[in-house]
Amino acid sequence: EPEVTQTPSHQVTQMGQEVILRCVPISNHLYFYWYRQILGQKVEFLVSFYNNEISEKSEIFDDQFSVERPDGSNFTLKIRSTKLEDSAMYFCASSEARTSGGTDTQYFGPGTRLTVL
Amino acid sequence: AQSVSQHNHHVILSEAASLELGCNYSYGGTVNLFWYVQYPGQHLQLLLKYFSGDPLVKGIKGFEAEFIKSKFSFNLRKPSVQWSDTAEYFCAVIPYGQNFVFGPGTRLSVLP
């Protein structure tokens, strides 16, 4: 069964450094998403991406965050200058169609644990 | 504020006990409902989903959930839990025109 993959599984970085989290969505999916889960808290929506542009973003997704689909398979989340509070598990997800409106399901990757020191 | 709530933060059961995890949401109108499970050290996996039709939805691993529109609820049930069901369970709602909103999660510990 096809699945969403993410690399690395764990990233440790110093505060102020840039990090890029990578995701390979399921190949025939068109919509891509990033979520994060701070330890002990709920999963929070960050951003959705379709047709090479951001469809929606939450308040969390401020100017330090960016997303990109640099080629036909990867979907990346960049954090420009990491802060301590960016430490979290970051999940990528993809769906065939836009989930909002009830036509499809999002499939989640295994997550990347980001630790900011 | 509109939200998704899950009744219990941590549930502890013995094997073979019946399980019911509560989920309530505060969005009006059309919603799509999901239960995801996260086993220790693993990623989120879809247990079941409801879009329309029969409000009693059957998922994988013997789980089912019932959508009660009048109560804004989507409770997860399993008649007999196993030790391998130990995990964190997340209810998620997609209000029409919006993105996923996850509940805070319920940790289930099943004692052998």
Side-chain angles (χ1 to χ4, degrees), chain B residues 9-85:
Chain B
H9 179 65
H10 191 188
V11 173
I12 303 173
L13 296 173
S14 298
E15 275 196 314
S18 65
L19 170 72
E20 181 159 1
L21 302 182
C23 172
N24 284 89
Y25 60 93
S26 60
Y27 300 90
T30 303
V31 292
N32 299 309
L33 301 153
F34 303 78
W35 275 97
Y36 281 86
V37 61
Q38 189 174 29
Y39 297 103
Q42 297 187 31
H43 59 97
L44 290 166
Q45 296 175 37
L46 180 67
L47 270 181
L48 48 79
K49 61 187 178 184
Y50 173 80
F51 288 165
S52 63
D54 187 344
L56 185 61
V57 180
K58 294 198 183 300
I60 61 171
K61 305 186 182 187
F63 286 91
E64 65 177 32
E66 185 174 14
F67 170 51
I68 303 179
K69 190 174 181 179
S70 60
K71 295 185 178 180
F72 297 88
S73 70
F74 190 56
N75 292 354
L76 181 71
R77 299 195 291 250
K78 186 171 184 178
S80 175
V81 295
Q82 301 170 309
W83 177 80
S84 57
D85 292 324

Side-chain angles (χ1 to χ4, degrees), chain A residues 35 56 99-100 102 105-106 110, chain B residues 32 36 43 49 94 97-98 100:
Chain A
Y35 296 82
E56 293 171 75
T99 314
S100 171
T105 299
Q106 292 181 21
Chain B
N32 299 309
Y36 281 86
H43 59 97
K49 61 187 178 184
I94 302 180
Q98 300 182 43
F100 261 103

Side-chain angles (χ1 to χ4, degrees), chain A:
Chain A
E1 184 178 330
E3 44 180 40
V4 177
T5 59
Q6 290 184 243
T7 55
S9 57
H10 190 188
Q11 173 89 47
V12 181
T13 189
Q14 296 287 330
M15 191 169 58
Q17 295 297 305
E18 175 184 285
V19 294
I20 297 176
L21 309 183
R22 301 180 193 280
C23 168
V24 179
I26 294 173
S27 60
N28 64 330
H29 286 186
L30 301 177
Y31 292 82
F32 314 114
Y33 312 83
W34 282 101
Y35 296 82
R36 78 171 185 193
Q37 185 183 24
I38 295 172
L39 186 64
Q41 299 185 27
K42 63 182 179 182
V43 178
E44 301 171 291
F45 167 75
L46 291 178
V47 65
S48 61
F49 190 86
Y50 170 71
N51 200 26
N52 282 320
E53 59 183 31
I54 291 174
S55 314
E56 293 171 75
K57 59 183 181 179
S58 71
E59 299 173 343
I60 303 166
F61 194 88
D62 60 23
D63 291 344
Q64 70 160 340
F65 291 94
S66 62
V67 289
E68 192 178 30
R69 188 150 164 84
D71 53 43
S73 59
N74 289 284
F75 178 52
T76 62
L77 174 69
K78 182 192 292 186
I79 308 175
R80 284 193 190 80
S81 177
T82 51
K83 303 191 283 272
L84 294 176
E85 53 265 38
D86 293 327
S87 294
M89 191 75 135
Y90 288 81
F91 292 99
C92 173
S94 69
S95 64
E96 270 188 79
R98 186 165 185 245
T99 314
S100 171
T103 57
D104 209 344
T105 299
Q106 292 181 21
Y107 294 87
F108 285 82
T112 293
R113 184 178 301 282
L114 177 64
T115 301
V116 182
L117 303 176

